[in-house]
Amino acid sequence: MTAKSDRSKARGGLDPENWENFRARAHALLDAAIDRMQGAEQGPVWTPLPEEDKCHYDIPLPRDGMGSDAVARQLEQLLPYGVGNTHPRFFGWVHGTGTPGNMLAEIVASAMNANLGGRDHGAIYVEKQVLAWVRDMFGFPDGASGLIVSGTSIATIVALKAARDRALAWTSRANGVGGANLVGYTSDQTHSCVARAFDILGLGSGALRKLPTNTSFQIDLNALCAQIAEDRAAGLQPFVLIGTAGAVNMGAIDDLSALADIARDEQLWLHVDGAFGALGVLSDRVRPKLSGLERADSLAFDFHKWMHVTYDAGCVLIRDEADHRRAFSERPDYLKGATRGLAAGNPWPVEYGPELSRGFRALKVWTQIAEHGTDRLGAMVDRNCAQAAALGQMVESAADMELMAPVALNICCFRAVRSGLDETGLDALNEEIVIRLQEQGIAAPSMTKLHGRTAIRVNITNHRTRDEDIEILFSAVRRIADEITA
Ligand SMILES: *Cc1c(COP(=O)(O)O)cnc(C)c1O
């Protein structure tokens, strides 16, 4: 390293030595990123990182930086190796698809480098606006509070902590849960993040009762009421009821109105996990199925799934702002607010969740809603449901396919059937089909078990999926099944 570059580095901190070069590199990289999104439907759905490229990232901790040119090259090289969820035939798990508009929001958020723990600055007002829109979207009262977080897993912890602390008259904040006998209720279709929240909150995952479901995979209300009565008789303290709006396996939506009635009669906190399904409120087709959601005490959902906001962005909404703040507010002197100056803008977001420093996730959410509007975002939800239903019909009218669960929303679970195979053989066949679809880059569904049997699970939370993509998937499943059994 020359003496001159030593001096200029000391002068410039970590900023570029030559801004013109930086600008040119940034423009080229932006072009490469836009090319990647514009060509999202080209090439295989999933492109694993080649063995020879893995070593580029497997280097010893650099004491001397490799420089911005080399880094820019590596950034560009990484672009094709995502999980595939920008592709129109990505149907695995529940992944959102992202939008080009969100890239711009991320650039601005990065340039501002805002910290949304609190204080009085522009970014805070953007988050407030997003939360106001969200209250409106879900029919929550004006006073309801919320927080933008990384996803539903964290949103669930935030909501259940408020529920837990209220149930224990807030003594748990200082004293812990001690010998509390709190128990909560949900269905056996619930996402694993709910039991994990019980674990993290010191209640133990065993305190979550997972009730059986009916033929539509909705929580069995009779079993629920019986379990609550049994627990009360045993001296336990029921405190929360967790409904699901869009269960991961096949998209079931619990009867939320009935759950709201039970919660009211039993004096339980009603929490709804609406990670992807809650955004069905934007679709005329789905909205009626979500009736009762507006009566929940809290809601956890994701922007990064069915609203296609770039990862990561989720949200917790809590009906009673005072309950929410009381579960988290704890401001030491150095974080005290003020009525004027930079420390104003009370209450601060830090009073509503576990994090102090928080990035500007709100901007990409604001951008997505502002750019497209809720009608268009809802139309994407609608189209995905129609595509799942169409796939369900193709399966039902094919003698060599079997529908494994009713298509409740945007998920179609089915399997290929071939004569001469017993259940174990069918499980193996369908597992192999899913892996070959992924490996051949044709489509990326995932797998699940329904009633103990392997199903090809096609989840469509994808604004790029066209109807032809469903047909391509369907014929590829048939072809691969034939190849395997030939
Ligand atoms: C994805 C999902 C979660 C977890 O959300 P993250 O954003 O991944 O933390 C919880 N519940 C349901 C129903 C989900 O689909």
Side-chain angles (χ1 to χ4, degrees), residues 319-336:
R319 172 172 303 276
D320 187 328
E321 185 273 344
D323 281 352
H324 189 182
R325 181 137 51 115
R326 209 163 165 194
F328 288 97
S329 189
E330 183 71 78
R331 304 245 317 248
D333 286 341
Y334 84 100
L335 291 176
K336 280 279 177 281

Side-chain angles (χ1 to χ4, degrees), residues 7-227:
R7 268 200 314 279
S8 60
K9 276 188 182 160
R11 196 170 55 234
L14 301 176
D15 286 332
E17 288 167 50
N18 182 322
W19 281 96
E20 283 314 308
N21 288 351
F22 173 78
R23 193 179 294 273
R25 252 192 322 275
H27 284 224
L29 202 50
L30 178 61
D31 273 335
I34 293 172
D35 286 346
R36 172 76 198 145
M37 282 220 132
Q38 191 178 2
E41 79 292 351
Q42 285 157 18
V45 177
W46 168 53
T47 311
L49 187 63
E51 280 308 319
E52 62 272 24
D53 284 344
K54 284 184 184 159
C55 64
H56 291 315
Y57 300 93
D58 184 14
I59 54 172
L61 175 68
R63 292 218 34 204
D64 280 324
M66 60 177 78
S68 46
D69 278 333
V71 166
R73 260 196 310 280
Q74 261 184 261
L75 289 178
E76 185 170 345
Q77 273 167 14
L78 191 58
L79 276 169
Y81 303 115
V83 73
N85 60 319
T86 52
H87 193 286
R89 286 192 298 282
F90 186 91
F91 303 128
W93 303 275
V94 186
H95 277 46
T97 320
T99 59
N102 260 199
M103 286 198 291
L104 305 185
E106 297 267 50
I107 289 174
V108 171
S110 188
M112 287 177 72
N113 193 24
N115 179 347
L116 281 81
R119 294 161 285 268
D120 189 359
H121 52 111
I124 293 282
Y125 292 89
V126 174
E127 179 160 359
K128 284 186 177 157
Q129 177 64 70
V130 169
L131 291 171
W133 283 346
V134 164
R135 277 195 295 269
D136 216 20
M137 228 150 57
F138 294 108
F140 268 52
D142 284 347
S145 49
L147 194 68
I148 297 181
V149 292
S150 58
T152 293
S153 301
I154 297 294
T156 303
I157 293 168
V158 171
L160 296 187
K161 177 168 189 315
R164 179 198 79 175
D165 291 345
R166 190 181 72 173
L168 296 175
W170 314 100
T171 58
S172 41
R173 290 214 57 195
N175 302 335
V177 291
N181 280 326
L182 296 183
V183 283
Y185 304 86
T186 193
S187 87
D188 58 13
Q189 292 297 304
T190 207
H191 190 273
S192 55
C193 76
V194 178
R196 199 163 44 178
F198 268 61
D199 169 9
I200 291 169
L201 291 170
L203 305 172
S205 54
L208 179 65
R209 306 279 189 253
K210 291 188 183 169
L211 295 148
T213 45
N214 61 24
T215 51
S216 301
F217 294 90
Q218 298 167 305
I219 189 168
D220 179 331
L221 299 171
N222 292 328
L224 169 64
C225 292
Q227 186 69 52

Side-chain angles (χ1 to χ4, degrees), residues 151-153 191 193 246 248 273 275-276 302 304-305:
T152 293
S153 301
H191 190 273
C193 76
V248 267
D273 177 349
F276 66 98
D302 284 322
H304 56 217
K305 288 178 175 167

Side-chain angles (χ1 to χ4, degrees), residues 400-435:
D400 60 343
M401 303 279 173
E402 184 187 340
L403 197 62
M404 301 291 280
V407 178
L409 200 60
N410 62 320
I411 300 174
C412 180
C413 291
F414 69 104
R415 64 178 180 178
V417 285
R418 289 294 183 272
S419 55
L421 291 179
D422 61 7
E423 289 293 342
T424 315
L426 286 173
D427 285 351
L429 170 69
N430 284 280
E431 276 166 36
E432 183 62 21
I433 292 172
V434 168
I435 291 172

